[in-house]
Amino acid sequence: MRLGYFGGTFDPPHLGHLAVARASVSAFDLDRLLLVPTGRQPLKEDAPCAAYSDRLAMVALLCEGEGGFEPSAQEAPLTDGGANYTIDTLRRLRGQLAPEDELFVVTGADAFLGLRRWHDPDGLLAEAEWIVVSRPGFTLESLAALQLSEQQRSRVHLLRDVDVPVSATEVRRRLAVGEDCIGFVPRSVLGYIEAHGLYC
Ligand code: ATP
Ligand code: MG
């Protein structure tokens, strides 16, 4: 079994996330892809705008009708209020897999370029294969700055054909000023945002 982990704040989930997830499942033949909203992201200074329960519900809507996609509560907020670390999630997932199963982390280029700031980068690269997806405004050529060993580099797979210039920051800005978000966010997610009065 080939299992993917795609973590993020998903505040809210948008068509960029959807394109990344679809391209990863198809290019790497993943059997399952977990979309994992993070309760508290250690590297983001500001808390998410939407509550964890809303972000998980919106991720579930993004997954609807998509083969292999699964919303996952693996990074629910911790009871002590602490941050959720990817390395902990990967080790937990690995513990639930059979030895022959393969684990892949899916990440956008911007997030991966900051890998040295994550908790235990070498452990992260040892724990899984990485699928790094192109994102407008970030060049995959700058990966050299991460100074990966040859063995680490062999576990990093680049997916260069995704080109969706959408960010959750821009979606939140548009919603706050009442601009329309068709073409940025799936209709189902937009319906949830409107019904729950989020981001206004
Ligand atoms: P924000 O603007 O709030 O940071 P975001 O759009 O970057 O939101 P995140 O939830 O921070 O979304 O990202 C989760 C993951 O999805 C990260 O690995 C990020 O790189 C990736 N990602 C998000 N949007 C895109 C996109 N348009 N193209 C490629 N990767 C993306
Ligand atoms: Mg981001």
Side-chain angles (χ1 to χ4, degrees), residues 70-133:
E70 293 173 33
S72 164
Q74 283 282 347
E75 292 181 2
L78 302 174
T79 42
D80 64 2
N84 305 81
Y85 291 97
T86 305
I87 188 72
D88 297 334
T89 312
L90 293 187
R91 293 201 168 126
R92 204 163 50 241
L93 290 173
R94 173 57 75 195
Q96 295 165 4
L97 292 174
E100 67 275 18
D101 290 337
E102 290 173 89
L103 182 58
F104 294 82
V105 177
V106 172
T107 177
D110 61 307
F112 190 73
L113 289 170
L115 184 74
R116 289 282 167 215
R117 291 164 56 226
W118 296 31
H119 185 60
D120 195 1
D122 294 328
L124 285 162
L125 288 163
E127 211 59 59
E129 303 278 326
W130 286 68
I131 301 170
V132 180
V133 184

Side-chain angles (χ1 to χ4, degrees), residues 9 17 44 110-111 135 168-169:
T9 313
H17 297 128
K44 282 192 176 171
D110 61 307
R135 181 169 196 175
T169 301

Side-chain angles (χ1 to χ4, degrees), residues 128-190:
E129 303 278 326
W130 286 68
I131 301 170
V132 180
V133 184
S134 49
R135 181 169 196 175
F138 299 89
T139 165
L140 290 170
E141 303 348 296
S142 44
L143 289 185
L146 291 175
Q147 299 193 307
L148 306 181
S149 69
E150 212 166 299
Q151 202 200 0
Q152 290 174 328
R153 185 65 190 79
S154 71
R155 312 201 75 189
V156 177
H157 313 282
L158 306 182
L159 200 49
R160 298 176 178 277
D161 51 2
V162 174
D163 183 21
V164 183
V166 176
S167 71
T169 301
E170 171 65 6
V171 170
R172 292 193 299 274
R173 186 199 68 73
R174 295 178 77 90
L175 290 166
V177 297
E179 283 175 34
D180 115 59
C181 282
I182 308 282
F184 289 77
V185 176
R187 281 188 181 279
S188 56
V189 173
L190 210 47

Side-chain angles (χ1 to χ4, degrees), residues 12-87:
H14 54 65
L15 293 177
H17 297 128
L18 189 59
V20 166
R22 280 180 178 161
S24 302
V25 166
S26 123
F28 292 88
D29 220 7
L30 303 181
D31 299 297
R32 300 168 59 199
L33 177 63
L34 307 181
L35 285 88
V36 189
T38 302
R40 189 158 87 71
Q41 224 272 32
L43 292 175
K44 282 192 176 171
E45 273 174 25
D46 299 328
C49 284
Y52 173 75
S53 56
D54 287 322
R55 292 183 288 121
L56 183 59
M58 291 188 283
V59 164
L61 291 170
L62 189 85
C63 291
E64 264 181 13
E66 299 286 336
F69 288 26
E70 293 173 33
S72 164
Q74 283 282 347
E75 292 181 2
L78 302 174
T79 42
D80 64 2
N84 305 81
Y85 291 97
T86 305
I87 188 72

